[in-house]
Each structure stands twice: as structure tokens, then as C-alpha cells.
Amino acid sequence: METVTYNNIKFQVWDLGGQTSIRPYWRCYFPNTQAIIYVVDSSDVERISFSRQEFHAILEEEELKDAAILVYANKQDLPGALDAAAVSEGLGLSSIKNRQWSIFRASAIKGEGLFEGLEWLSNVLKAR
């Protein structure tokens, strides 16, 4: 867990990645969640369908029904990476009608797209 402050908003950030065996325990972190930041490895074309399944399973959680969604299409700096539109399609983002979401191209290594995504998210949260 880490606290990140951006635009006068404190984010309690939990990295819930990891092995499939620990995923049932994720719901321990769901209460009072106002936003989900979902990071997709855009260079791993083979796993986008698996990522979609995991993503939509999270969206079905009752405690997360009002959470805004920020998706980072990460690793845009790598050759052959899916662009943000392809990641959006792969995740089925256009089917999400009941909450605010946005997707941003990103390269965590280069720091590209990260602030743009946090800017969008902080504006969404401030408007609530």
C-alpha cells in the first residue's frame, strides 16, 4: 500500500496484481473504493482476453459499482504494443455504460501518460 498525492487528492494505492490463487482475497480491499486504476500490458497481445475476463469480474463486485475507472494501456513504448483503441476494444470498455471511465496510453518506464490519467481521475473525483 502506498499513499500518492496528486492535485490535492490523496490516493491510497493498493497493487492487487499477482497470482490467481490470491485473487479471492482482493475483495478485502474493495470497501470505500472510489476508483479503479487498471493497468494493461499492451505488449502482451495474447493475454488481453484474460485481462478482459479479470477486469469484468472486478466490475461486477457490488462494492465497486460506483468506482470510476482509469485504464492505462501501458508499455506503449514497446514494438508491437496494441494502441489504446485496441486495448479498449480488447477490454470491452465501450460496453461500460453505468460509470465513468477513460483509457490513456502510457509508458511507466518513460513516465508518459501517467499524469494525464491522474489528472482525469482527480477531476472526476472532485466533481463527485
Side-chain angles (χ1 to χ4, degrees):
M1 196 261 314
E2 187 174 335
T3 300
V4 176
T5 302
Y6 181 81
N7 208 7
N8 291 327
I9 295 178
K10 284 188 179 182
F11 294 92
Q12 294 271 332
V13 180
W14 300 83
D15 180 357
L16 297 181
Q19 301 168 343
T20 306
S21 62
I22 65 170
R23 291 183 182 168
Y25 301 106
W26 286 359
R27 57 183 43 89
C28 297
Y29 302 99
F30 293 167
N32 303 312
T33 297
Q34 295 177 338
I36 299 165
I37 300 175
Y38 198 76
V39 181
V40 177
D41 181 343
S42 301
S43 71
D44 194 348
V45 178
E46 315 256 314
R47 291 187 46 147
I48 195 75
S49 63
F50 177 74
S51 188
R52 178 185 184 133
Q53 292 171 352
E54 291 297 315
F55 178 64
H56 283 275
I58 290 168
L59 297 183
E60 291 175 11
E61 294 288 338
E62 180 65 25
E63 290 180 293
L64 300 175
K65 69 179 182 181
D66 296 322
I69 303 164
L70 165 59
V71 176
Y72 281 123
N74 193 29
K75 299 189 180 180
Q76 290 293 302
D77 55 315
L78 296 181
L82 297 171
D83 63 14
V87 171
S88 179
E89 183 178 327
L91 291 178
L93 293 179
S94 64
S95 69
I96 301 171
K97 308 288 186 202
N98 60 345
R99 62 177 94 203
Q100 291 178 287
W101 63 268
S102 192
I103 184 167
F104 290 84
R105 296 173 33 94
S107 169
I109 296 289
K110 295 183 175 184
E112 296 171 352
L114 303 178
F115 292 111
E116 293 85 349
L118 288 176
E119 184 70 25
W120 174 83
L121 185 55
S122 65
N123 288 333
V124 167
L125 295 176
K126 284 180 179 179
R128 290 185 169 188

